[in-house]
Amino acid sequence: MTKTSKIVLAVLAIAVLSAAAGFFGSGFRGNSAAASTGSAQGTFIEEIKKRGELRVGVAIAPPMTVQQADGTLGGPNLIPLEELAKQLGVKLVPVAAEWKNIVAGLQANRYDFAANLDYTVERSLAISFTNPVYEYPGVFVVKANSPHTTSDQIIQSGGQIATAQGAAPEATLKGLTSKIMPMDSYSNAISAIQAGRAVAEFTDLPTAESQAQADKTLKIVVPDPAIYSGTAAYGVPAGVDARSMQIVNIAIERAQKSGKLAQAYAKVNYFEVDNLGDLQKK
């Protein structure tokens, strides 16, 4: 074989290899683009769309999460998820839960979100959290005729303090006193106060306001300095993808900045802690 022939064959081989590389490279790029398009909205969100339902676990804590007149679960805290469901073209499906098992229900895939859930280290080891929906302090609820007007007086009284079992404020209270009476619901916690079995209830501000507004024989004691500050967000599965999380966080932000959450709070007579008026124990 002449030198010229060898050169020609070498050039042809390079051309063939280049063409093959271009073909396969195009195929790989095409597959990658298709995969990217398919997951553009995130795996978690796509699964919700395919199911046609956005399921949210709801433990009752008025006024943020309530059982409505028609028996369904709702409340201001669900507004960002209601808006998200509309955007996705799916149905919002509230699922009844209790504070003591709401995280377990999320882990068991009974629902996609756990509503009105406080950030805690313990919970964050098991699930992930969205951006905050709102923030609030922990407060005490006492009888209007109670002699206790401060948190120190309540704690040092030696009386039992009722809490909602599994709720974040309960964990904080454990670091302050051993006189804790865990209850399976906030309504039962109030019943314990009314029956004289507890001197106070320790709970979140929204719940305390709802209780004091419904029963004029109850008042709110605001700890000074604060002993608990809650950040309520949505719990989501630990492995949720970043793109889906971004979409949910945008839905929360839009509900906040559009004024829809503020309007909903006003409708249920929710006030900031420095504007409690007659609801506060004097």
Side-chain angles (χ1 to χ4, degrees):
M1 181 180 292
T2 65
K3 184 176 181 180
T4 301
S5 298
K6 290 180 179 180
I7 293 172
V8 171
L9 289 174
V11 171
L12 289 173
I14 291 171
V16 170
L17 289 173
S18 297
F23 172 78
F24 288 114
S26 175
F28 289 142
R29 287 192 298 272
N31 290 338
S32 177
S36 177
T37 301
S39 61
Q41 292 184 322
T43 304
F44 178 68
I45 291 295
E46 287 295 337
E47 289 176 354
I48 291 172
K49 290 183 68 175
K50 288 178 182 178
R51 190 189 311 118
E53 293 181 343
L54 188 159
R55 305 166 303 169
V56 52
V58 180
I60 295 177
M64 296 303 179
T65 49
V66 300
Q67 185 171 27
Q68 301 175 125
D70 61 358
T72 60
L73 297 169
N77 190 258
L78 270 60
I79 287 177
L81 294 181
E82 290 172 354
E83 294 299 314
L84 177 61
K86 289 178 183 177
Q87 292 293 323
L88 298 179
V90 300
K91 181 182 179 182
L92 181 77
V93 180
V95 180
E98 295 180 348
W99 292 117
K100 62 185 178 182
N101 61 21
I102 192 168
V103 171
L106 183 64
Q107 291 178 298
N109 195 34
R110 290 187 59 223
Y111 30 81
D112 309 299
F113 297 87
N116 206 24
L117 205 59
D118 285 2
Y119 285 159
T120 66
V121 173
E122 181 181 10
R123 286 171 175 169
S124 68
L125 294 173
I127 61 175
S128 294
F129 286 93
T130 66
N131 287 347
V133 179
Y134 69 99
E135 298 180 357
Y136 62 87
V139 297
F140 291 95
V141 177
V142 298
K143 285 185 177 181
N145 62 359
S146 169
H148 310 309
T149 59
T150 70
S151 57
D152 285 343
Q153 290 173 356
I154 293 170
I155 293 170
Q156 294 170 12
S157 71
Q160 295 287 335
I161 302 173
T163 64
Q165 184 179 10
E170 179 191 20
T172 297
L173 198 61
K174 288 179 179 178
L176 300 174
T177 179
S178 62
K179 299 293 186 178
I180 301 174
M181 182 185 291
M183 308 300 289
D184 60 2
S185 69
Y186 287 112
S187 59
N188 285 340
I190 291 301
S191 295
I193 295 175
Q194 300 288 25
R197 293 185 292 113
V199 297
E201 170 200 40
F202 188 59
T203 186
D204 58 273
L205 179 63
T207 296
E209 288 187 23
S210 177
Q211 293 169 339
Q213 289 167 350
D215 186 344
K216 302 304 181 183
T217 68
L218 300 174
K219 296 293 181 183
I220 298 171
V221 173
V222 179
D224 185 16
I227 59 178
Y228 177 79
S229 180
T231 301
Y234 298 128
V236 293
V240 66
D241 62 279
R243 177 60 177 145
S244 294
M245 184 73 89
Q246 181 187 41
I247 292 170
V248 176
N249 285 336
I250 289 173
I252 294 171
E253 181 183 0
R254 294 316 309 152
Q256 292 168 335
K257 293 187 175 180
S258 67
K260 289 184 178 179
L261 278 174
Q263 293 166 13
Y265 296 157
K267 287 182 179 178
V268 295
N269 295 319
Y270 174 61
F271 303 98
E272 297 295 335
V273 71
D274 57 355
N275 191 33
L276 294 178
D278 291 339
L279 296 176
Q280 188 167 352
K281 174 75 173 173
K282 304 298 184 181

